[in-house]
Amino acid sequence: MELELIKSKLHESNFRLTQEREVVLTTFMNSGQMLTPAQLHDCVKKEYNSVGLTTVYRLIEVLTKLGLATPFLIDGEIYYTFCSDHHHHHFVCLDCHKVKDIYECLEMTHKYDDVGTVNYHRMDLYGHCKNCERKNINVKSLEP
Ligand SMILES: [Zn+2]
Ligand SMILES: [Zn+2]
Ligand SMILES: [Zn+2]
């Protein structure tokens, strides 16, 4: 998703993208993985020392409201990933925390017509990515 489009969306919700906030945003967008606000803060600090944790929380809050960030609850921790505004699902690697977007939609909502009207659905897959799976196999084969 284009930065300009995100900027205008943020602007519409009266959120001014200062230089600091923009650094947080681009770091988040380019990370390709899920991060806790504290982890994102650590990444940002490497480049931009003066950014506070509150700034990170505030941006993530706004992005989540706009549908541009999705939270995942894993082992009691809330992680966030940056999201485009096209409907999609996620494959989340529990080892390296990389998130892969899945644009194929498993339409099964029509099965629940008699329960009520479905407005939207969410589905995320959690597991181990190919890369981590290979590493795990290598580690196991080294064990006695
Ligand atoms: Zn997403
Ligand atoms: Zn992985
Ligand atoms: Zn879907």
Side-chain angles (χ1 to χ4, degrees):
M1 202 175 165
E2 268 178 62
L3 189 61
E4 289 311 309
L5 199 64
I6 296 159
K7 276 185 188 171
S8 73
K9 270 178 176 265
L10 288 170
H11 189 76
E12 275 166 37
S13 53
N14 293 317
F15 189 79
R16 212 167 57 83
L17 203 59
T18 57
Q19 204 189 341
E20 280 194 354
R21 285 167 170 177
E22 192 169 327
V23 174
V24 180
L25 176 66
T26 50
T27 307
F28 187 44
M29 285 174 74
N30 297 329
S31 74
Q33 67 175 93
M34 60 173 184
L35 296 162
T36 64
Q39 285 172 341
L40 177 57
H41 185 227
D42 282 343
C43 293
V44 172
K45 269 200 303 191
K46 283 176 201 155
E47 253 188 83
Y48 214 93
N49 211 356
S50 61
V51 176
L53 186 58
T54 322
T55 307
V56 176
Y57 270 107
R58 185 80 190 92
L59 180 73
I60 286 179
E61 191 190 353
V62 174
L63 290 175
T64 306
K65 274 188 192 152
L66 291 170
L68 296 172
T70 300
F72 302 114
L73 183 64
I74 294 164
D75 292 333
E77 288 268 18
I78 304 177
Y79 295 85
Y80 294 85
T81 189
F82 177 80
C83 281
S84 70
D85 62 351
H86 293 288
H87 176 76
H88 62 278
H89 303 273
H90 304 101
F91 178 90
V92 179
C93 178
L94 297 167
D95 292 322
C96 66
H97 293 179
K98 285 210 172 82
V99 179
K100 206 172 150 43
D101 291 347
I102 301 166
Y103 284 92
E104 188 189 7
C105 200
L106 306 169
E107 267 306 346
M108 39 98 185
T109 48
H110 61 274
K111 285 187 196 162
Y112 300 94
D113 279 351
D114 56 339
V115 180
T117 309
V118 177
N119 284 2
Y120 68 94
H121 67 265
R122 264 194 71 173
M123 190 196 66
D124 299 311
L125 309 170
Y126 300 88
H128 308 281
C129 72
K130 283 261 179 313
N131 210 1
C132 290
E133 221 165 37
R134 223 176 291 133
K135 270 189 227 155
N136 289 344
I137 290 165
N138 288 343
V139 170
K140 278 199 189 102
S141 65
L142 289 174
E143 282 168 8

